[in-house]
Each structure stands twice: as structure tokens, then as C-alpha cells.
Amino acid sequence: MSAPFLAGVAAGYGIAVPVGAIGVLIAGLSARTSLRVGAAAGLGAATADGIYATVAVLGGAAVADLIAPVATPLRWAAAVVLLGLAAMTAWGAFRKRAPQDAPERPATATRAYAAILALTLLNPATVIYFAALVIGHGGAGGGPWFVIGAFLASASWQLLIAGSGSLVGRLLTGPRGRTITALVSSAVIAILAVRLL
């Protein structure tokens, strides 16, 4: 194993392991839908981490300097999106549907992947984090290995979160369980969104 690959693995776990709003979304999505949808969402987050690791390897400090001025507006945009998701999740928990109501649009793996990828890309701190690590390790030597390590570490963690969410979802499959998990997920997402600000 090369040193850049191991540095990428450490960086990938370093950014992915602290469970924030994205982790809660992935777990909640798995609990309410399926492991397939949750895993796709997790891979969306890992893809964003891989993209930002690539940007950091290619651009380093220049990219971090470019993003710094727009970091606050991006953080606000992410918080607004998260608060909207929290409100929609809570509303869905309380909404009573009559049997004749049209079924709601089911979550698909493709939509979950794209949504979590887009939401994760709203976090400019990730590219700054990777850029600092790349610069701290003396530049982009072994860059592709660093990116691969970061992506694989992030993907493995996100898939663990999706699997955990799916397991919890199987334990709480009744209407009351779904309501409780939706409300807990909504509250945690809202708290994390406010903390983002």
C-alpha cells in the first residue's frame, strides 16, 4: 500500500465519520425505503468526497482560496435545503393518507444518489479540508492514490450508515415506527442545519 493511498483513506474517514446531516439523511432514507436507495445515497456522498479530493489534489491552495469567499453563502444554502428536508420529513410523518389517495412518488436509487451528491457538494469545507491535507503532505504526489483512498474510505463508511439505517428500518416497519423515525430524523436534521449556521 502506498503512503498517498493510506493518507487518502485516513482523510476519507476523517471527513466521513463525524455523522452530520448527510449521514442522518442517508440512515433515514434507508430506514424509510430500502438498503438499495440508502446505499445509492451513501455513494452520492462518497462521490462528492471523491470529487473534492480530486479538486484538492489538482488545485490545492488555489481552490481553497477561490472557495473561501463563497463559503458562507454555500453554508446558508445547505442549511436552507436541510431545513426544507427536515420540514418535509416531519410533515410526511403527520400526514394521514386515505386509501384512495394517489401513492406518493417512490424514492429511487438514482434520485437518492443525485440529491445527496448535490447536497454534499454544497459543503465547501470538504475541499478546504482535503486541500489542507494535500498541501500538508507536500503537494499532489501520488494524487490518484490519495483520491482513491479517500473515496473508498468515505464509501465504506456511508454504506455502513445506510446498512444501519436499513436494519433500524426493518425493526420499525409499522406506522408508529415510521412516524417516530421520521420525526427523530427531522429533528436531528433541523438541529444540524442550525448548527451549520
Side-chain angles (χ1 to χ4, degrees):
M1 296 245 168
S2 68
F5 176 79
L6 293 176
V9 168
Y13 281 126
I15 200 73
V17 167
V19 176
I22 298 297
V24 172
L25 280 171
I26 292 167
L29 195 55
S30 279
R32 289 188 310 275
T33 59
S34 69
L35 177 58
R36 182 172 176 256
V37 171
L43 290 175
T47 300
D49 288 344
I51 289 169
Y52 274 152
T54 302
V55 168
V57 164
L58 296 176
V63 172
D65 288 343
L66 245 142
I67 289 177
V70 295
T72 300
L74 286 175
R75 201 169 32 253
W76 276 92
V80 167
V81 169
L82 289 171
L83 287 171
L85 287 170
M88 286 176 25
T89 302
W91 180 74
F94 286 115
R95 187 176 68 148
K96 301 287 187 219
R97 290 184 29 216
Q100 72 274 13
D101 284 352
E104 56 184 69
R105 196 165 115 179
T108 66
T110 303
R111 281 201 305 266
Y113 175 86
I116 297 298
L117 170 62
L119 190 54
T120 307
L121 286 173
L122 284 175
N123 184 5
T126 305
V127 76
I128 294 168
Y129 165 81
F130 282 128
L133 290 174
V134 167
I135 292 164
H137 283 93
W145 290 110
F146 177 86
V147 171
I148 291 167
F151 171 78
L152 290 176
S154 179
S156 68
W157 183 256
Q158 304 303 345
L159 291 173
L160 177 67
I161 289 173
S164 300
S166 181
L167 179 63
V168 169
R170 287 174 196 248
L171 296 174
L172 301 170
T173 54
R176 181 175 289 170
R178 286 189 190 137
T179 300
I180 290 169
T181 57
L183 290 175
V184 168
S185 174
S186 176
V188 171
I189 292 167
I191 290 167
L192 292 170
V194 170
R195 285 187 62 205
L196 197 70
L197 300 175

